[in-house]
Each structure stands twice: as C-alpha cells, then as structure tokens.
Amino acid sequence: MAKKLSRKFYSRPALKVAKELLGKYLIRKIGRQKLVGKIVETEAYIGPKDRASHAFLGKVTPRNKTEYLEGGHIYIYLVYGMYWQMNITASKAGKPECVLIRALEPLNKVEPHSTDGPGKLCRWLKLNKSFDGEDLTKSKRIWLEDRGEEIKRSRIAASKRIGIDYALEWAEKPWRFYIKGNPFVSRPRT
DNA sequence: GTACAGATTGAG
DNA sequence: TCAATCTGTACT
C-alpha cells in the first residue's frame, strides 16, 4: 500500500505540502539498513516575501539555490556550524518555497529522543551536504511514502515557527505544524 | 582573505 | 534560561 509521493504532491504551495506531509513516511536506505520514520512535525517557508526564509527578497546564493528547484528536492544546509537541517522544496521551479522537517516518529528501534528535532533527525538519518538537491521522486537512498495513513484536521496543531525571532512579523505566522500529543514532536518552546 | 551569522541543542 | 561551537556564506 506504500505509495511513493509524486512530483504532483510536492508541486503545491509549501503551506499545503507542510500540512499534508504529517503522517507520511520518510524512508532512508543506508546500504542494507533501512530507516523509516513518520513525519510528525514540519515548518513552511514561503519564498521571497518570508523574512525568515533564506530566499527572502528573492536572494539567490550558492547555499540556497536548491531551494528554487521544483517541488520534491532536498534542500539541506548547516546551522550553528554543527547541525544540518533537512528541507523539502515545494511549489514549482523558480519558486523558493520549502518545508523544514523538524521531527520524525521512528519505526526502527532507536535511542529515546534521537529524532525529536531537526538537527537530531538529520544526524539519525546520516544526512549531509551530499543530499543537497537530491530528487525525492527519483532517489534510491531517500524518499517519502504515503502508507494510507490519514491525519485528521483535528489532530493537527499549528504554532509559530522556531528560532526565527529576527523575522519580525513573519516570526508570528502559525506555519509550524505538528501532530497533537505525539511524543516525538520536538520540545515546545514559546 | 576574512568577518560573521545561525530554521539548534543540551546543560544548568 | 543561556551560551557553546564552527562551517559555510557573503562581502571586501
């Protein structure tokens, strides 16, 4: 029943993709090993008008150019010199919209709290710069699946995004989505 | 060539 | 609540 998410799924506004990514499964293959996790927390970043986005005002730099790819690619970058952030691009080519994956509920047996934050889940998945620009609809080492799990609207909560206080009024936008009560969601902050 | 920010984390 | 920590980015 597992259905790989198609280009069509990703080629929509980031806000929509961010909400619908909840309850989808991320598959990461490392050699013989297969890591699987359900997405339980995301954040949306909307192109040039979003001050919190790296593509604010349509800036293009070597770092964020993958953010401009059509939906379904990975945009990964380093923060604080030590943590990777995994984003999935959304919308059409040329539109810098993306969705940050903030937390996973792992199906594998793992140490507690090893995927409840964007930096930690990337460490768990062994993601690094080599995944920048990876096409999730074609890659053999990482992709997303729909396993027929429906997350009801009433189980989805929205809050403001994390760690972007510099973004002024954009920091207030309720563009962080997570599954209510899920223990794998990153620790709430105010 | 160099200053500097940073979509976090974990310890206190 | 707060500071460690350090690479890639952006600019000169």
Side-chain angles (χ1 to χ4, degrees):
Chain A
M1 223 75 83
K3 208 171 65 203
K4 200 170 186 175
L5 296 187
S6 67
R7 181 75 70 211
K8 212 172 142 194
F9 178 91
Y10 301 110
S11 299
R12 297 176 300 159
L15 278 172
K16 212 166 195 133
V17 176
K19 260 181 270 190
E20 293 190 20
L21 276 176
L22 295 176
K24 298 294 187 288
Y25 287 81
L26 178 80
I27 312 340
R28 162 81 167 109
K29 255 179 113 168
I30 306 174
R32 250 183 227 134
Q33 204 189 5
K34 202 170 172 187
L35 298 173
V36 183
K38 184 165 74 172
I39 297 174
V40 297
E41 183 179 356
T42 62
E43 270 180 18
Y45 287 84
I46 313 293
K49 51 185 184 182
D50 182 357
R51 194 176 180 99
S53 166
H54 292 153
F56 180 53
L57 296 181
K59 265 205 303 199
V60 186
T61 66
R63 171 171 78 158
N64 72 12
K65 68 173 190 300
T66 49
E67 197 178 347
Y68 288 79
L69 296 175
E70 67 178 331
H73 290 83
I74 291 182
Y75 168 42
I76 194 164
Y77 72 94
L78 197 64
V79 274
Y80 303 117
M82 47 189 136
Y83 298 112
W84 293 99
Q85 307 284 301
M86 177 192 172
N87 295 250
I88 297 175
T89 64
S91 196
K92 307 249 191 286
K95 301 265 190 188
E97 301 198 8
C98 67
V99 177
L100 169 66
I101 308 299
R102 291 189 54 86
L104 294 176
E105 175 181 333
L107 297 198
N108 310 67
K109 284 265 178 292
V110 296
E111 298 294 305
H113 303 295
S114 57
T115 61
D116 58 353
K120 290 198 274 187
L121 78 87
C122 286
R123 194 193 301 160
W124 182 62
L125 294 171
K126 297 197 167 42
L127 298 180
N128 55 49
K129 188 82 185 168
S130 76
F131 284 83
D132 194 41
E134 188 93 352
D135 188 339
L136 289 167
T137 67
K138 295 195 182 118
S139 176
K140 294 278 191 295
R141 49 185 186 165
I142 186 166
W143 66 91
L144 298 176
E145 285 179 359
D146 183 349
R147 298 195 165 181
E149 191 168 329
E150 209 48 60
I151 305 292
K152 290 210 172 55
R153 269 256 292 283
S154 59
R155 293 189 49 217
I156 297 179
S159 78
K160 47 193 251 193
R161 293 172 293 176
I162 310 262
I164 52 164
D165 296 339
Y166 61 85
L168 306 176
E169 75 267 28
W170 295 97
E172 302 297 323
K173 302 280 180 194
W175 289 350
R176 166 173 174 252
F177 305 101
Y178 58 95
I179 299 179
K180 262 183 216 170
N182 186 294
F184 295 92
V185 169
S186 68
R187 135 177 68 104
R189 264 173 262 198
T190 52

